Amino acid sequence: MIKDAKFGTLLIHAGQKPDALNAVIPPIYQTSTFTFKDAQNGADCFAGESDGYIYTRLGNPTVRVLEDAMAALEGGFGGIATSSGMAAVTTVYLAFLSAGSHIVSTDAVYGASRSVLEKHFSRFGVESSFVDTSDLALVESALRPNTKLLYIETPANPTMAITDIAACARLCADKGIKLVVDNTFCSPYLQQPLALGADAVLHSITKFINGHADVVGGVIVTKTESDHKLLYNIMTSMGPNMDPHQAFLVIRGLKTLGIRMERAMANAVKIAQWLEQHPAVAWIKYPGLPSHPQFALAQQQQEGPGAMICFGLKGGFEAGKKLMDNVTVAALAVSLGGVETLIQHPASMTHAKVSAEAKLRAGITDDLVRYSVGIEDVSDLIADLENALSHVSQ
Ligand SMILES: *Cc1c(COP(=O)(O)O)cnc(C)c1O
């Protein structure tokens, strides 16, 4: 590939090397193990003196294509692909936290990224604090002498609160604190945390990167070789690996990330503007609207506002349920970032059994609707919302 290839070219070609038969698309190396040519070759592979493959938990050529592509797209040293987004999150925690260390995280962080700390890492003596990381003063005052990791999600799920990555990097500098960013909502097409000073970036690949709602997966990209080695060691010994078939599908999805994002984002801008004017809508949080509390930061830090919209209905809980029961184009489902539009009313669906306190903590109010914009015709999406909202009392 040409030197200094741009993002759109990297999306198509990064990580791909010709195989023995010059296949245009990386084959699925659906094999658990690899033969050594002879005893010496086996010894060299294990000593790291040959780049041959050994065993799929330790590395697989199809998975490596995806890892190298993601490293190129995020501008990092290397990538590690995992079986799920949560496997990526826990691998990061395992790498950067030990007994007695402390993590500061975004309060509206993805639910499982929080609960794994509170329920499990706490058993091993890890302390955690959750603050609104969009307020830097709160981040600074949460840091302790034993803080080892500042873990931020921006934009956060589902509040759409935006955290200043470069400012967080400055807070961590010289304190021995690693800064890791969950970049799931933006993808590297819109936001490149390593260039803003983060040590590592991770994704639920399930969402925008794969983009077709047919794979669950994750990836971590580190800035330095030493962090890559640390994470690689955890991955190969604990085994949260991505499998080759999963990687093949993600490589296929990744190629269209740019055009999918452009279309979904253009749809999202129109839908957000339309929703903001609608009499049944009480509030809307979309980084592309000047009404977003961090509109200026979003414009500076992100290449675009993304395709996730959160809004509240004046009719509250019942209106949310009515809306869900009357949409016909948007599908009622969790997850996000696919070519199909998904809608979710957490209070009556995913969080129906969750305590009021826990819902509040997660930023989920009874009126909140989350809308993941797909690439359908925007006029159909707006007509669908218009019809469904006509059933909602204001
Ligand atoms: C979905 C999601 C995760 C978890 O990823 P899985 O692939 O479901 O394990 C983590 N962070 C964010 C922001 C997500 O949206």
Side-chain angles (χ1 to χ4, degrees):
M1 199 170 23
I2 56 167
K3 215 171 139 270
D4 300 325
K6 312 243 175 3
F7 198 89
T9 308
L10 291 175
L11 275 176
I12 308 301
H13 298 289
Q16 294 192 198
K17 295 181 202 78
D19 75 326
L21 299 175
N22 290 316
V24 169
I25 294 302
I28 309 172
Y29 285 93
Q30 193 75 44
T31 181
S32 59
T33 195
F34 298 82
T35 28
F36 304 124
K37 284 193 225 44
D38 51 31
Q40 187 57 47
N41 174 237
D44 291 347
C45 284
F46 266 95
E49 284 155 14
S50 156
D51 56 8
Y53 288 89
I54 300 171
Y55 180 66
T56 278
R57 178 163 43 75
L58 310 181
N60 174 284
T62 314
V63 179
R64 183 69 49 80
V65 171
L66 176 62
E67 292 173 331
D68 290 350
M70 287 305 300
L73 294 168
E74 288 284 7
F77 173 80
I80 286 179
T82 55
S83 58
S84 69
M86 283 316 301
V89 175
T90 47
T91 299
V92 158
Y93 291 167
L94 286 164
F96 297 134
L97 299 168
S98 311
S101 56
H102 173 243
I103 169 175
V104 175
S105 178
T106 305
D107 56 353
V109 73
Y110 185 76
S113 302
R114 178 174 187 145
S115 65
V116 76
L117 289 168
E118 292 182 327
K119 286 202 187 118
H120 301 295
F121 279 80
S122 60
R123 297 189 283 114
F124 302 97
V126 170
E127 300 164 14
S128 46
S129 303
F130 301 89
V131 297
D132 175 1
T133 52
S134 69
D135 183 340
L136 277 176
L138 291 179
V139 178
E140 193 162 11
S141 61
L143 299 179
R144 301 177 189 168
N146 60 337
T147 305
K148 297 292 178 218
L149 178 58
L150 174 56
Y151 181 93
I152 59 176
E153 188 180 308
T154 181
N157 179 18
T159 58
M160 302 306 290
I162 293 173
T163 298
D164 187 333
I165 299 170
C168 283
R170 286 193 291 275
L171 278 183
C172 293
D174 309 322
K175 293 198 187 76
I177 303 173
K178 295 285 183 187
L179 175 64
V180 177
V181 179
D182 182 334
N183 200 22
T184 300
F185 268 39
C186 277
S187 88
Y189 187 67
L190 298 181
Q191 177 167 276
Q192 305 206 326
L194 299 181
L196 297 170
D199 296 290
V201 53
L202 68 85
H203 290 273
S204 166
I205 246 175
T206 317
K207 315 294 168 50
F208 289 100
I209 304 281
N210 180 55
H212 292 73
D214 51 10
V215 172
V216 168
V219 70
I220 309 153
V221 175
T222 62
K223 184 154 56 190
T224 67
E225 181 173 5
S226 58
D227 281 345
H228 180 75
K229 277 197 171 134
L230 174 62
L231 286 155
Y232 179 74
N233 184 273
I234 290 172
M235 210 247 332
T236 55
S237 53
M238 299 198 184
N241 305 64
M242 177 176 279
D243 79 61
H245 186 253
Q246 218 179 344
F248 170 81
L249 287 169
V250 179
I251 293 162
R252 178 179 170 137
L254 178 64
K255 290 181 194 288
T256 54
L257 174 68
I259 55 173
R260 282 188 283 109
M261 265 292 184
E262 285 300 334
R263 170 65 175 255
M265 211 157 48
N267 285 355
V269 169
K270 288 191 185 131
I271 292 167
Q273 286 167 349
W274 182 85
L275 280 170
E276 193 166 45
Q277 305 300 321
H278 196 282
V281 173
W283 55 266
I284 176 163
K285 288 258 180 68
Y286 178 63
L289 293 176
S291 58
H292 188 286
Q294 287 116 11
F295 178 67
L297 175 58
Q299 286 202 311
Q300 175 199 326
Q301 178 166 287
Q302 302 175 199
E303 298 285 326
M308 292 299 299
I309 300 174
C310 270
F311 59 98
L313 294 169
K314 287 184 189 152
F317 183 85
E318 286 307 322
K321 265 184 99 168
K322 270 262 164 59
L323 178 64
M324 296 305 111
D325 289 343
N326 286 285
V327 285
T328 57
V329 181
L332 269 57
V334 296
S335 197
L336 57 105
V339 290
E340 59 288 300
T341 296
L342 302 180
I343 194 166
Q344 228 266 85
H345 178 227
S348 72
M349 292 169 63
T350 50
H351 289 65
K353 294 256 159 61
V354 174
S355 73
E357 193 236 318
K359 270 190 291 200
L360 202 66
R361 236 180 37 180
I364 290 165
T365 46
D366 278 353
D367 63 346
L368 182 144
V369 174
R370 196 179 76 173
Y371 196 76
S372 171
V373 184
I375 64 169
E376 298 93 338
D377 261 279
V378 70
S379 56
D380 288 336
L381 294 173
I382 290 178
D384 184 38
L385 285 170
E386 184 158 40
N387 171 57
L389 285 170
S390 73
H391 295 269
V392 166
S393 60
Q394 289 155 29

